[in-house]
Amino acid sequence: MATIERVEVLVTSPGRNFVTLRITTSDGVTGLGDATLNGRELAVASYLEDHLAPLLIGRDPARIEDTWQYLYKGAYWRRGPVTMTAIAAVDVALWDIKGKVAGLPVYQLLGGRSRDGVLVYCHASGTDVEELLDDVARYQEQGFQAIRAQAAVPGLSGSYGVRKGQLYEPAATHLPDEQAWSTEAYLDFAPGYLAKVRDRFGFGFHLLHDVHHRLTPIEAARFGRSVEELRLFWMEDPTPAENQEAFRLIRQHTTTPIATGEVLNSIWDVQGLITEQLIDYVRTTVVHAGGITHLRRIFDLAALYGVRTGSHGATDLSPVTVAAAVHVDVSVPNFGIQEHMGHTAETYEVFRGTPRLANGMLYPSDEPGLGISYDDEVAARFPYDAKYLPVARRLDGSMHDW
């Protein structure tokens, strides 16, 4: 019987920081797992290296479920982003190994395809409305069928979701960028520019918008009602997700579909949102919600209540997570949509074999396992570079919730 022989924690920064776990078995099979937690990467790296890696040596890599339970229940301190991200890295690496041993892509181990490809949405943005409209047109020309739209709020120093350069990367400073925020200005501005997107491009594509947790429940309800005629695919994270009951108030006042969950880490964090049907899409992701094993539990629960998947997929998730997510997405019956942002050219030099993108769809690799590899020599050129996500302050100088 093969056993786990080596566990390596790999940190690199090809344009942004990534933490990768590599597990090697006694018969030489390797598996990769993503362990990136944006702005807190080294906390997970230490958790893995100092606490989990010693526990894995000598274990049977085929016992994925047992290993998941062992790491989750053995910690005593359960849940939370650091713990669940570390467990996710182990879990995904073991699924990668199992696929390689079986000679099958991971999606075949999950029951096979439920669809040919995975619908993704891209990120259009602009420092003003005209720039946003140009960006939407650019993505439509590339074949995307679903587009998120964000524009900078006039008069504010920083607006969430507005790209600077080719790729959007919010973690860009060595101290958190403290950005001014006005809810009133946002609520006056955002419905209007979303209407201009529909006026220019019509209803022949899916239009999405991210509120980024920045509204109170009643403000989010008012926003949702104001854009109902625009038929958004969803409004994402309309209010901070910790208070699940807050979504009930939003639900009572608008029919605009609601998506949330990217900052939540377990089935218990989203249980009420799903079983009370307070959301339409659950956005938990492989890397922060305990890996493939636990994410499938969340999606199975969601399927019982008519809630579809819509996993987070920003640049702070490595190509390993993208690959794992697409294997899950293509197999589950209640798939909704997958976020897709792409990565820098340097990132794709480190991580080889990412899913194929064509006409707004991602397609998983048919290679055994996840179908992705890690180039140590290239990764060594990009040392860790501490970066932090921005924070928002109201115009009176007080901290905003997000």
Side-chain angles (χ1 to χ4, degrees):
M1 179 190 75
T3 59
I4 295 174
E5 189 172 80
R6 188 164 67 254
V7 180
E8 302 166 273
V9 180
L10 312 167
V11 181
T12 187
S13 186
R16 64 133 13 261
N17 295 313
F18 296 112
V19 180
T20 305
L21 185 72
R22 181 165 59 205
I23 295 176
T24 305
T25 68
S26 56
D27 53 6
V29 181
T30 63
L32 297 176
D34 183 16
T36 306
L37 185 61
N38 200 352
R40 299 295 185 270
E41 298 91 352
L42 297 186
V44 185
S46 174
Y47 192 110
L48 284 165
E49 194 154 22
D50 298 330
H51 301 291
L52 296 195
L55 305 180
L56 295 172
I57 302 301
R59 292 185 65 85
D60 181 354
R63 297 181 62 168
I64 298 176
E65 179 66 42
D66 184 63
T67 299
W68 197 98
Q69 298 293 337
Y70 173 69
L71 298 179
Y72 181 79
K73 294 177 178 177
Y76 186 75
W77 314 107
R78 301 179 182 181
R79 299 159 66 179
V82 174
T83 293
M84 297 303 279
T85 301
I87 293 175
V90 175
D91 184 78
V92 171
L94 294 181
W95 279 104
D96 192 18
I97 289 170
K98 186 175 283 287
K100 291 175 180 176
V101 170
L104 294 170
V106 167
Y107 73 80
Q108 292 288 16
L109 306 179
L110 303 177
R113 290 179 184 266
S114 290
R115 58 197 51 80
D116 294 330
V118 170
L119 176 68
V120 300
Y121 71 90
C122 61
H123 290 211
S125 68
T127 56
D128 56 37
V129 176
E130 283 305 314
E131 190 174 285
L132 168 64
L133 296 176
D134 289 344
D135 215 29
V136 172
R138 181 173 67 89
Y139 280 116
Q140 285 197 328
E141 289 170 2
Q142 293 176 20
F144 284 95
Q145 307 164 47
I147 301 173
R148 193 187 84 171
Q150 311 285 144
V153 179
L156 299 185
S157 60
S159 293
Y160 169 78
V162 177
R163 188 177 63 252
K164 297 176 182 178
Q166 290 297 107
L167 292 173
Y168 176 64
E169 175 50 72
T173 55
H174 290 92
L175 290 173
D177 183 20
E178 300 188 18
Q179 300 177 348
W181 174 256
S182 167
T183 297
E184 295 78 11
Y186 166 78
L187 288 172
D188 286 341
F189 180 61
Y193 76 68
L194 293 170
K196 289 180 180 178
V197 173
R198 281 298 191 207
D199 289 344
R200 174 79 63 88
F201 301 101
F203 289 83
F205 72 104
H206 298 303
L207 178 62
L208 301 83
H209 180 69
D210 188 357
V211 182
H212 200 55
H213 321 269
R214 293 192 175 184
L215 302 179
T216 66
I218 200 65
E219 290 167 345
R222 180 154 56 93
F223 174 81
R225 178 173 288 184
S226 72
V227 296
E228 282 180 356
E229 291 185 357
L230 304 180
R231 301 207 307 264
L232 294 187
F233 187 90
W234 73 34
M235 60 173 175
E236 178 185 338
D237 293 332
T239 198
E242 296 98 323
N243 180 9
Q244 299 190 17
E245 190 64 24
F247 288 79
R248 190 182 309 280
L249 189 150
I250 302 171
R251 192 62 127 184
Q252 290 169 346
H253 291 281
T254 182
T255 59
T256 296
I258 301 169
T260 201
E262 71 180 64
V263 300
L264 302 178
N265 314 116
S266 76
I267 195 168
W268 300 280
D269 297 328
V270 297
Q271 180 179 3
L273 293 171
I274 290 170
T275 60
E276 297 294 321
Q277 296 176 296
L278 302 180
I279 59 173
D280 301 279
Y281 297 89
V282 60
R283 287 187 34 77
T284 45
T285 186
V286 169
V287 64
H288 299 144
I292 292 172
T293 297
H294 195 66
L295 187 64
R296 276 174 57 84
R297 287 198 178 92
I298 294 172
F299 289 173
D300 285 344
L301 177 65
L304 295 178
Y305 293 91
V307 175
R308 291 191 284 173
T309 75
S311 287
H312 179 57
T315 52
D316 60 349
L317 312 184
S318 92
V320 175
T321 284
V322 176
V326 174
H327 281 281
V328 174
D329 291 339
V330 83
S331 67
V332 297
N334 57 323
F335 171 76
I337 202 167
Q338 171 67 52
E339 182 177 17
H340 176 70
M341 292 183 69
H343 293 93
T344 65
E346 293 84 357
T347 298
Y348 290 129
E349 290 181 43
V350 175
F351 300 92
R352 309 287 179 88
T354 54
R356 180 173 62 90
L357 176 66
N359 297 317
M361 307 277 284
L362 279 175
Y363 297 88
S365 169
D366 283 317
E367 294 295 315
L370 295 175
I372 196 163
S373 63
Y374 185 93
D375 191 316
D376 292 82
E377 186 175 338
V378 175
R381 304 201 322 251
F382 305 106
Y384 177 77
D385 184 19
K387 297 288 180 67
Y388 292 91
L389 291 163
V391 295
R393 287 190 180 274
R394 299 181 181 90
L395 296 184
D396 65 2
S398 63
M399 286 295 299
H400 195 273
D401 288 336
W402 287 82

